[in-house]
């Protein structure tokens, strides 16, 4: 009897499940994600499912990990300090394609080199400039390399990568390893984000493997990719960008396994994000344009999903303009005040009580900060380093830490680097006030919401003097923003074009009045026409109201709170490799390989050669991922044109897919 262990490390909770023979959940458990030492939360969750099930560690044949860590990091703008080497492009290309914004102040070097569309060298690689730049100590944790037309000839990317390793010893992310498609700036962005995540995902995998060994679980560790497929832990270390949307993809696989639904919207609410996707024919849709997380459109194959910075731990912002005022949620996650009070009850309650005694609301009321140990601090500006030192090791009121307005920006930069965590009012706190949750310190939550309710609107009145009313306002806003996320996804996947972007359609006055069942001279009825599967630990608390608002069936599976962990162990290993054949001149057919271009005199021979190389690479990668019973499939996309009564070959793209079930330990 084989047991499968699934673990999901989210922004707030770490979940674990044990499944027997991929057919039955026999135990599940949750533990708080411990960001300063991820192994603590992982170990606590695994130990709990072992205790609940009575299973022995030796009974576990496979362990699999899904995570929202990479997704959350990109949504919140976190990750390590990186350096970008941009080969064969112009300095102004950094601005034009959004790379400067993605760098967020991290260093970049633009040098000569690169190739043309046929794979020939466009200019020599400027090695001297690269060597001089690499000698500068600037606190970089990993490097990203993107060269012009590297998918047609990766020689310069490989040469730069080798020089970086020799000089710095740091990890390197090459754009052609992450996508075989054209679009240099987009590949550069993907490589940049991959480099930023390398240290973070490596620490997660190391902690997970260490905890499995500590618990005497001798089973291979798999990681869920953004399209729901499984890869080995080592492959995830090399290409952590492929784990973006890993948690959400696993949740969709888990939703299908739990409900058997063929056609539905799947909405997964976590602590940081809400992820919405469409099930069609029982399968999640793959985004043809590449995964988008927050503002970034990458070249990573992933489930077609809309990720919104909205979760149980989203920061609550007061809207003080206008006569009535209100609140908005997200996109940043903060530590709920009720949770921070569990960690540091004396400082949190003392501060809240002191703020409540004040006659006037303060800008930083009910907000705290704490340092995250174990994160590299290289490259910090003097002001940022001074603020980090002042925060120290404990929990501190933000108002006591910030001496000037300038330091507010320093705090934002420290949050972006993942060096500190901020605590503030969240929907989780509101749920504690309303009695829907009782996991943390409800008294601290009440004090924090009372402080927020005292803030003044444009009319000069208090936002909400009654604490329960303040809590309901926050929960109602979560219902509203969740409904918008579902409607936006639904409109985005509609076959009929409504003439406006999905976001505008979701917020359109006619749509919203229809949800309100408007009755006047005109009768309006709108809603969602398919079931919604609600997932996440807090789905049972928040989603019934969402179903009522949208007038649809809301399915809340028994194990909705651990859907990610379930999906982590019921998926399959899938490796895809793509390559192209071009025709630089008549009668010459060029295969673009990692080893460089190779020419043939016949199109079919060239395509057969490329297919053979791709099949070998995909099978080898699948075997390295731990796949058995591997099945190969091939898709050819051949472009040709009619000229003088004959077909002229233009280009071919070949995609090979190797699929198999994960190998189970004896």
């Amino acid at each position: 009897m084989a047991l499968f262990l699934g673990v999901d490390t989210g922004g707030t909770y770490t979940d674990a499940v044990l499944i027997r023979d991929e057919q039955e959940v026999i135990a599940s458990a949750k533990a708080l994600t411990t960001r300063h030492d991820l192994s603590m939360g992982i170990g606590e969750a695994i130990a709990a499912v072992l205790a609940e099930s009575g299973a022995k560690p030796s009974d576990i044949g496979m362990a699999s990990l899904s995570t929202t860590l990479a997704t959350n990091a990109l949504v919140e703008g976190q990750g390590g300090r990186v350096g970008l080497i941009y080969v064969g492009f112009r300095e102004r290309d950094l601005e034009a394609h959004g790379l400067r914004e993605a760098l967020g102040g991290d260093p970049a070097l633009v040098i000569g080199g690169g190739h043309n569309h046929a794979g020939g060298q466009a200019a020599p690689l400027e090695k001297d400039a690269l060597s001089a730049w690499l000698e500068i100590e600037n606190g970089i944790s990993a490097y990203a390399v993107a060269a012009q037309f590297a998918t047609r000839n990766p020689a310069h990317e490989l040469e730069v990568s080798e020089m970086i390793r020799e000089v710095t010893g740091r990890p390197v992310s090459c754009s052609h390893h992450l996508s075989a498609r054209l679009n240099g700036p987009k590949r550069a962005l993907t490589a940049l984000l991959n480099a930023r995540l390398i240290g973070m995902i490596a620490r997660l995998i190391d902690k997970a493997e260490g905890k499995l060994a500590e618990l005497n679980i001798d089973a291979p560790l798999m990681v869920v990719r953004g399209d729901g497929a499984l890869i080995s832990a080592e492959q995830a270390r090399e290409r952590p960008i492929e784990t973006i949307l890993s948690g959400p993809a696993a949740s969709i696989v888990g939703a299908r396994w739990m409900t058997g639904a063929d056609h539905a919207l799947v909405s997964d609410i976590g602590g940081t994000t809400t992820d919405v996707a469409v099930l069609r024919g029982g399968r999640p849709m793959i985004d043809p344009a590449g995964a988008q997380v927050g503002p970034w459109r990458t070249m990573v194959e992933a489930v077609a999903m809309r990720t919104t910075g909205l979760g149980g731990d989203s920061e609550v912002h007061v809207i003080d303009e206008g006569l009535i005022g209100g609140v908005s949620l997200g996109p940043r996650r903060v530590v709920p005040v009720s949770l921070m009070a569990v960690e540091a009850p004396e400082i949190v309650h003392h501060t809240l009580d002191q703020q409540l005694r004040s006659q006037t609301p303060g800008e930083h009321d009910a907000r705290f900060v704490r340092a995250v140990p174990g994160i590299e601090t290289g490259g910090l500006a003097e002001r940022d380093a001074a603020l980090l030192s002042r925060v120290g090791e404990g929990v501190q009121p933000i108002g006591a830490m910030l001496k000037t307005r300038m330091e507010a920006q320093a705090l934002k930069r420290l949050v972006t680097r993942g060096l500190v965590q901020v605590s503030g009012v969240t929907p989780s706190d509101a749920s504690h006030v309303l009695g829907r949750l009782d996991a943390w310190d409800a008294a601290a939550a009440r004090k924090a919401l009372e402080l927020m309710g005292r803030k003044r609107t444009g009319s000069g009145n208090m936002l909400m003097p009654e604490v329960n009313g303040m809590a309901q306002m926050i929960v109602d806003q979560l219902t509203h923003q969740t409904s918008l996320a579902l409607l936006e996804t639904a409109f985005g996947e509609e076959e009929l074009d409504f003439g406006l972007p999905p976001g505008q359609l979701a917020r359109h006055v006619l749509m919203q009045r229809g949800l309100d069942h408007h009755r006047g001279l005109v009768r309006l009825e709108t809603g969602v026409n398919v079931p919604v599967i609600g997932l996440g630990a807090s789905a049972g608390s928040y989603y019934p109201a969402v179903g009522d608002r949208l007038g649809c069936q809301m399915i809340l599976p028994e194990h909705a709170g651990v859907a990610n962990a379930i999906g982590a162990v019921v998926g399959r290993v899938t490796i895809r490799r793509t390559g192209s054949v071009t025709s630089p001149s008549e009668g010459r057919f060029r295969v673009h390989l990692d080893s460089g271009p190779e020419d043939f005199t016949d199109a079919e021979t060239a395509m057969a050669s490329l297919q053979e190389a791709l099949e070998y690479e995909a099978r080898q990668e699948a075997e390295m991922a731990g796949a058995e019973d591997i099945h190969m499939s091939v898709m050819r996309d051949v472009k040709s044109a009619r000229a003088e009564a004959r077909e002229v070959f233009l280009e071919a793209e070949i995609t090979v897919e190797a699929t198999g079930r994960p190998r189970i330990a004896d």
Side-chain angles (χ1 to χ4, degrees), residues 315-335:
E315 185 173 18
V316 179
H317 305 274
V318 171
I319 302 171
D320 52 15
E321 295 96 358
L323 297 179
I324 300 176
V327 295
S328 65
L329 308 180
R332 190 173 71 170
R333 174 190 182 270
V334 294
V335 178

Side-chain angles (χ1 to χ4, degrees), residues 116-135:
N116 58 34
H117 70 281
Q121 180 172 286
L125 180 63
E126 292 184 2
K127 298 180 186 177
D128 291 344
L130 175 61
S131 294
W133 190 75
L134 291 175
E135 294 292 347

Side-chain angles (χ1 to χ4, degrees), residues 89-101:
F89 296 92
R90 298 163 299 182
E91 186 77 32
R92 64 175 179 266
D93 289 336
L94 292 174
E95 310 290 347
H97 299 288
L99 285 168
R100 186 75 71 188
E101 182 184 356

Side-chain angles (χ1 to χ4, degrees), residues 157-212:
E157 281 197 4
L158 294 172
E159 199 167 349
V160 170
S161 173
E162 186 59 34
M163 289 179 66
I164 292 171
R165 288 192 174 95
E166 286 179 1
V167 175
T168 71
R170 296 291 189 182
V172 185
S173 171
C174 290
S175 78
H176 77 279
H177 286 155
L178 301 170
S179 176
R181 301 187 188 280
L182 296 176
N183 193 330
K186 197 170 171 184
R187 279 201 327 278
L189 173 66
T190 305
L192 171 65
L193 298 178
N194 188 66
R196 183 156 284 153
L197 294 169
I198 284 174
M200 184 181 295
I201 296 300
R203 285 192 296 272
L204 171 62
I205 292 172
D206 288 346
K207 296 292 187 183
E209 289 183 328
K211 188 53 66 173
L212 290 175

Side-chain angles (χ1 to χ4, degrees), residues 618-620 622-623 627-632 657-661:
R619 181 178 288 277
Q620 191 175 48
E623 288 173 349
E628 294 181 327
D629 300 332
I630 297 172
H631 172 72
M632 306 293 297
E657 184 174 280
T659 304
R661 59 181 179 82

